[in-house]
Amino acid sequence: MAVTIAAPITGTVIPLTEVPDPVFAKALVGPGTAIDPGEATTLTVTAPVAGKLTSLKPHAFVISHRPDQGVLVHLGIDTVHLKGAGFTLRAEAGQQVEAGEEIIVWDLAVAREAEKSVIVPVVVLEADAENLTLTEAGPISTGDTLIRIG
């Protein structure tokens, strides 16, 4: 059964290879794509797929849409070092969520002041790249189709 992964934010789709972190750029975490939020000052980050919020950190979350697969949304690069500053959680780990549900509100000023990249990788965990159809580079709005699995 095909699964649609929606854009969790509005911005510009860029290839994962352009993410300024080799762990994401080389798809070591998994295949996927990324979104550059541009000049946005605040982002409401939404669930890209329905499922269980199996991991929730201020800067990243994973939603398992089936027992053997999840979607990682990572807000910026090296933003773990911000220790939660600029992130407001709107959900709880372990919660069932619907696609489009608000998960985190992100004030990007804190990340920019700390000179962190605000690019958002969206990676499908435990997936083969050949089973994914990625949206081509360009503008995208929250909720638009970003990735199709299967």
Side-chain angles (χ1 to χ4, degrees):
M1 186 172 104
V3 175
T4 299
I5 308 299
I9 63 169
T10 293
T12 302
V13 175
I14 63 170
L16 202 57
T17 55
E18 293 184 15
V19 173
D21 181 321
V23 172
F24 289 108
K26 293 179 181 177
L28 298 178
V29 179
T33 190
I35 301 174
D36 182 343
E39 300 302 315
T41 56
T42 303
L43 293 173
T44 298
V45 185
T46 62
V49 65
K52 184 176 181 179
L53 192 55
T54 51
S55 177
L56 177 63
K57 307 291 182 195
H59 66 285
F61 60 90
V62 174
I63 296 176
S64 296
H65 59 93
R66 57 185 211 202
D68 63 339
Q69 195 168 65
V71 176
L72 167 67
V73 177
H74 200 281
L75 305 177
I77 304 301
D78 292 333
T79 48
V80 66
H81 301 298
L82 300 176
K83 300 181 179 175
F87 301 97
T88 304
L89 302 182
R90 299 289 195 203
E92 294 183 18
Q95 177 182 341
Q96 285 292 132
V97 296
E98 295 299 321
E101 198 169 320
E102 189 175 305
I103 306 296
I104 296 172
V105 175
W106 183 18
D107 177 354
L108 287 84
V110 177
R112 289 188 173 116
E113 287 170 12
E115 299 183 355
K116 305 294 183 192
S117 169
V118 294
I119 290 175
V120 176
V122 179
V123 173
V124 183
L125 305 174
E126 305 298 328
D128 294 322
E130 59 268 12
N131 290 334
L132 305 183
T133 303
L134 306 175
T135 296
E136 292 188 21
I140 195 164
S141 297
T142 303
D144 288 352
T145 298
L146 182 65
I147 302 170
R148 286 190 195 278
I149 306 170

